[in-house]
Amino acid sequence: MVTAMVRQDNAGVEAAQLIREMGLAMPDTGPALTSPIDGSVMPGIGFTSLAGVSAAIEQSVTTFNKWRSVPPPIRGELVRRLGIELRAHKDALGRLVTIEMGKPISEGLGEVQEMIDICDFAVGLSRQLHGLTIASERPSHHMREMWHPLGPVGIISAFNFPVAVWAWNAALALICGDSIIWKPSEKTPLTAYTAHALLERVISDFEQAPRHLSQLLIGGRDIGEALVADTRVPLISATGSTAMGRAVGMRVAERFGRSLLELGGNAATIVGPSADLDLAVRAITFGAAGTTGQRCTTMRRLIVHDSIYDTLLDRLKRAFASLPIGDPRDPAMLIGPLVDERAAHAMDRALDRARADGGVISGGGQLDGLYVRPAIVEMLSQTAIVREETFAPILYVLCYSDLSDAIATLRDVPQGLSSSIITTDLREAETFLSATGSDCGIANVNMGTSGAEIGGAFGGEKETGGGRESGSDAWRAYMRRQTQNVNYGQDLPLAQGVVFDV
Ligand code: NAD
């Protein structure tokens, strides 16, 4: 039996050492926080008051009024320096992510690398915030489209990517000329405090950057709600559960604000009869069990062709059973703990429901503390529990014989974030990528469903919220568009030939 291997040194003490190592002050004390690794106590962090939220927004408005006039390439220079700061502290911040959230150390470091990557991307973009010129039907007229800074941007983030998602938003918003206000997850305030303090250090050394350009609000749902309701914040970019997004989206729409929603997923992979099974086993195991099933893009459903079902399932069960589970600071461990006791209960409840629906379970079950064994559940059909996102390492497996049925199953869930197909058949791959194929924001071939690069736009359809962040043209969400018409002649021709002579 696999047991969770946990090192004896105290994760909470190491967290405090890492903050000091980065040359940062310890946060003001607040409610006790514990590491999911070993339950040890980490430095607490004080909550923001509701009055503090309003004051931060006021400062953010004042700051925005200055920052919007700084030329974009100079704004890019600030973000370039943030990238340098992150490179210098990649190891320490990556370890802190691991200690606070519980993901394996290579993923903690990968998360900081993602922050560095988006900084680099944003620096280049700061010289390319381009609009359009459009042919005018009126003589001696120019028509063009310009992009202007939008205002203070509210960023609400989830626990599972405690700093990278903030960086996606912050790097783009800053080069776009916006001030930023961050409400991180109440489960991961320490990494938020640290990443924000690194940015503040860069801001304080950068003459053109006004004070309070970036604000941090620590607290729970009430703090998020106050930010979301405030008309001084034109854009709320919120990452988290669909329940959160439903509340946030409606509240922001009510005040005619703009929201960018990155919500829950329920990713599926189809494995065709021609699939390379060695590649499939690796892609599926990382996709479903990596990050202990706590990615929005985690592979939760596997739809396997009946001709290879038994062979693939046998190999997957063996791969899952061999996964090293334990202290995620140890590079040999591939599976760390779940984030908290609630997550472990949610996994148990989901497995009970799947069993009641006739599911046959391999693996699962809690080891020491918050460590669980990833589970494979063979299902006869896509029942209600399979259509829900349970934020834990459970892979539901279904069998198909016809590709169109497999695609219909893949689409038949409320979420639409990520998907993939594993096949060496070109026709199958292209059908999957066509308009009648996957309905998700991300569609991959011969790989899993998680591990996106920052260069592409990231996000999904349906209950995933429709937002797009990170690469491609996602920057446009952080700016306002203006159509400009200039008459450089002496006449005043009207569009559509309208005559109005006075
Ligand atoms: P969560 O919804 O519990 O919390 C996310 C954030 O929203 C937290 O900061 C929380 O305090 C805040 N919040 C909750 N209710 C709010 C409200 N009514 N108003 C304002 N703020 C509110 O999510 P979680 O458990 O931290 O993260 C896991 C979820 O996030 C999963 O569903 C996962 O799929 C999703 N997620 C999605 C993406 C994506 O890009 N699509 C990325 C990461 C995580």
Side-chain angles (χ1 to χ4, degrees), residues 155-161 165 168 182-188 219-228 236 238-245 247-248 261-266 294-297 300 339 342 389 391 417 458-460 464-465 469:
I155 304 163
I156 295 174
S157 58
F159 81 87
N160 64 325
F161 275 88
V165 168
W168 291 358
W182 182 17
K183 208 304 275 171
S185 166
E186 52 275 48
K187 294 176 192 165
T188 51
R221 184 184 170 143
D222 56 330
I223 298 296
E225 284 171 343
L227 178 64
V228 164
I236 297 288
T239 301
S241 59
T242 293
M244 177 279 287
V248 167
L261 300 176
E262 295 288 350
L263 311 176
N266 192 351
Q294 299 172 111
R295 286 191 189 221
C296 50
T297 49
R300 307 202 181 279
V339 72
R342 249 180 94 186
E389 180 196 50
F391 222 52
L417 180 54
F458 184 91
T464 301
E469 281 177 359

Side-chain angles (χ1 to χ4, degrees), residues 348-427:
D348 278 347
R349 276 198 311 274
L351 290 177
D352 286 345
R353 282 177 62 191
R355 197 179 288 111
D357 288 346
V360 177
I361 302 172
S362 313
Q366 207 161 344
L367 304 165
D368 292 344
L370 297 170
Y371 296 83
V372 294
R373 259 191 242 104
I376 293 176
V377 187
E378 293 172 74
M379 300 294 295
L380 292 173
S381 64
Q382 187 156 260
T383 61
I385 186 62
V386 182
R387 300 174 78 250
E388 280 175 31
E389 180 196 50
T390 301
F391 222 52
I394 302 175
L395 180 65
Y396 300 107
V397 187
L398 297 151
C399 190
Y400 80 93
S401 52
D402 184 82
L403 182 62
S404 60
D405 292 339
I407 291 173
T409 303
L410 180 139
R411 295 168 70 121
D412 186 24
V413 291
Q415 312 83 354
L417 180 54
S418 188
S419 58
S420 76
I421 189 166
I422 302 180
T423 179
T424 54
D425 182 326
L426 179 75
R427 288 182 183 153

Side-chain angles (χ1 to χ4, degrees), residues 208-290:
Q208 294 93 331
R211 282 184 67 221
H212 308 304
L213 181 56
S214 178
Q215 303 268 359
L216 180 66
L217 309 175
I218 297 292
R221 184 184 170 143
D222 56 330
I223 298 296
E225 284 171 343
L227 178 64
V228 164
D230 203 300
T231 52
R232 292 170 293 180
V233 185
L235 171 65
I236 297 288
S237 173
T239 301
S241 59
T242 293
M244 177 279 287
R246 190 169 277 120
V248 167
M250 289 208 250
R251 186 68 192 89
V252 176
E254 216 169 54
R255 63 174 177 85
F256 294 104
R258 208 189 275 180
S259 56
L260 200 173
L261 300 176
E262 295 288 350
L263 311 176
N266 192 351
T269 292
I270 296 172
V271 189
S274 67
D276 173 338
L277 292 189
D278 291 339
L279 182 148
V281 170
R282 278 188 289 134
I284 296 163
T285 308
F286 172 67

